[in-house]
Amino acid sequence: MKKHSLLFFISAFLIVAFLCTITSTYAAKKSTTTVKKKQTTRKAKTKVSKSGLQKISKNPYLGAIAIDAATGKVLFEDNPDVKGYPASMVKMMNLLVILEAIEAKQITLQDKVKISAEVAKVDGSQVYLKEREVHTVDDLIYALMIPSANDAAMALALHYTGDKEKFISLMNKRAQELGMTDTLFSTVNGLPPAKGKPDVSTPRDITKLCLELLKHPAALRYTSTKERLFRTDSPKPLVMRNHNHLVGSFEGCDGFKTGYFRAAGFSIAATVSKNGERVIAVIFGSADRNVRDSSAKNILSKSFMELTASLPTSVSDAQEITASILE
């Protein structure tokens, strides 16, 4: 009897131990699966920005191009026709439209712009314009190009046309006239819209905009300013600092504009002038700001080397090249 009781207890113990092992293994697998699902969900969520746009940035960039500003000759290209989100580089078209309006005497630099409630509500990079506050067009252009103020962009657009959509139509009209066939502007400042389509362009298209801006000497006055005060009549003026870190740190850089929002990544359109030559470089969609800036510097440096190597080294060389062309 004792022998049977002992065998029963041993059997029962083994069965319980076996069941515990199975339960523990199942629980561990379930936990691992749950963790993996959470990680996958988290990763999937990081691919979409708050604006609902799919993140497209990568390192070193989505695409890039550099050209000779004098001839338009391509000095460097790497996926230059990729479509991306220009973000605040949109403000370069805003600048072009405003400068052309000034030259046509439709508005002036000293026009007084009264800030509306709509402008005061604009978020993102800004100079914190307040409703009924008054600023000159000149001051607002500096705010547009130095700290990339979204509210200044809206204020300028409304001052010129009185209607945001009308100004956007002018931006798209100029883009088509410049041959920017892969560009569509949806905003006056490059902010990702809560609804609707974002601004879209390509590195190559942006170089066309840059070339047009260079026809207006005033453009570089604004884009080359590293630091400037805003609201100088205030006890505590706002210090505006240029978002283009190549200005003041890379020899000869005097423009143009950077762009960033989460889905777009970091982009830049930069121009450098050295020894009478000028190069324009555009980079779209870097995942890291420092990578974008270092890539821009490298591309600009290599492009100048390419440009210099293709130039005649003497008068006799120039004459030989001319003679060969005539033949």
Side-chain angles (χ1 to χ4, degrees), residues 124-172:
S125 297
Q126 55 186 295
V127 285
Y128 308 100
L129 296 176
K130 300 176 179 63
E131 188 177 358
R132 292 187 291 278
E133 196 175 18
V134 176
H135 295 281
T136 65
V137 167
D138 191 42
D139 282 341
L140 289 172
I141 295 176
Y142 276 111
L144 175 79
M145 300 312 292
I146 300 174
S148 192
N150 296 313
D151 48 0
M154 182 71 78
L156 288 166
L158 294 181
H159 175 68
Y160 178 38
T161 63
D163 180 79
K164 179 179 67 176
E165 297 304 323
K166 187 175 180 180
F167 192 87
I168 293 170
S169 293
L170 286 177
M171 294 169 69
N172 283 313

Side-chain angles (χ1 to χ4, degrees), residues 184-247:
L184 180 63
F185 295 117
S186 301
T187 72
V188 300
N189 48 31
L191 275 172
K195 295 180 180 179
K197 297 179 180 179
D199 305 284
V200 175
S201 190
T202 68
R204 194 188 302 277
D205 270 7
I206 294 297
T207 62
K208 296 174 183 178
L209 174 55
C210 293
L211 284 171
E212 192 65 20
L213 276 174
L214 287 175
K215 295 178 182 179
H216 306 271
L220 294 178
R221 180 172 78 245
Y222 298 107
T223 64
S224 65
T225 301
K226 186 176 180 180
E227 192 173 288
R228 183 182 170 91
L229 295 179
F230 189 75
R231 294 190 186 88
T232 54
D233 57 347
S234 169
K236 291 185 178 181
L238 176 67
V239 180
M240 301 187 297
R241 294 184 175 86
N242 204 321
H243 286 193
N244 181 358
H245 297 148
L246 271 64
V247 172

